[in-house]
Amino acid sequence: MSKRVNFKIELKVSDMYEFLLRHAYTSVAGLVGVGISLVALVFFFIGLGKSDAYQNILLLLIASLFTIVNPIQLRFKARQQVCLNPMFKIPLDYEFSDNGIVVKQNDQQAELSWDDTYKVVETKNLVIIYFSKVTGYILPKSQMGEQKAEFMELIRNHVDAKKCKLKGSR
């Protein structure tokens, strides 16, 4: 008998924000950006009182780019995507089974095989099933209810361990 797990997921701004933050700061470019910000902050404190005011302001601006400005921009982007995109106004119906993944919304349906999975990542609040480097399904744990354990078991059984970044996985 095939296991089935069903979720009705309505993405919230906070879910999209966590996804965007994770996506931005786990990439090489994101890590380099944070590194540049930290170096600029160190030079700001070293030069405090020794450098001219313009240099200190410039260093402070660079330090804030990836640590303050970018997260604020990502929050606005998350709000814009969730609030303005018609796709996010109607919940998505997900069905996960041994046969694969079926996603429905209104009269549209997509069927995917577990083999199509690029990777699966678990964060504090989300499970993200990627089908490419940048596209995937964002599944808030708060909306999984009692089926979360069965869902995680399905993932572990059908997605290659090398593609899974689950907490407490294998």
Side-chain angles (χ1 to χ4, degrees), residues 10-56:
E10 185 174 351
L11 214 56
K12 295 181 172 68
V13 173
S14 59
D15 303 323
M16 180 62 75
Y17 180 59
E18 183 175 340
F19 170 77
L20 292 174
L21 272 177
R22 186 199 176 283
H23 193 71
Y25 287 103
T26 57
S27 69
V28 173
L31 294 173
V32 167
V34 170
I36 290 170
S37 287
L38 293 175
V39 168
L41 190 62
V42 167
F43 279 114
F44 168 77
F45 284 117
I46 290 172
L48 210 55
K50 300 174 190 172
S51 304
D52 63 70
Y54 293 114
Q55 184 177 351
N56 286 339

Side-chain angles (χ1 to χ4, degrees), residues 23-111:
H23 193 71
Y25 287 103
T26 57
S27 69
V28 173
L31 294 173
V32 167
V34 170
I36 290 170
S37 287
L38 293 175
V39 168
L41 190 62
V42 167
F43 279 114
F44 168 77
F45 284 117
I46 290 172
L48 210 55
K50 300 174 190 172
S51 304
D52 63 70
Y54 293 114
Q55 184 177 351
N56 286 339
I57 290 170
L58 182 61
L59 286 170
L60 203 53
L61 284 173
I62 292 170
S64 67
L65 278 178
F66 293 97
T67 56
I68 298 170
V69 176
N70 197 37
I72 291 170
Q73 283 182 312
L74 290 175
R75 183 69 164 174
F76 282 116
K77 184 177 180 181
R79 180 174 302 286
Q80 184 179 32
Q81 283 185 345
V82 171
C83 294
L84 297 180
N85 189 333
M87 183 185 116
F88 294 120
K89 300 227 183 277
I90 300 166
L92 290 166
D93 292 310
Y94 290 90
E95 180 181 287
F96 299 92
S97 70
D98 291 326
N99 300 325
I101 303 165
V102 177
V103 183
K104 298 176 187 174
Q105 187 179 48
N106 292 333
D107 58 347
Q108 296 180 340
Q109 177 173 313
E111 295 181 34

Side-chain angles (χ1 to χ4, degrees), residues 127-147:
V127 175
I128 307 163
I129 302 176
Y130 286 93
F131 292 98
S132 75
K133 283 186 175 188
V134 294
T135 60
Y137 295 127
I138 304 167
L139 304 163
K141 291 180 185 177
S142 63
Q143 296 181 42
M144 291 182 185
E146 296 174 8
Q147 297 185 78

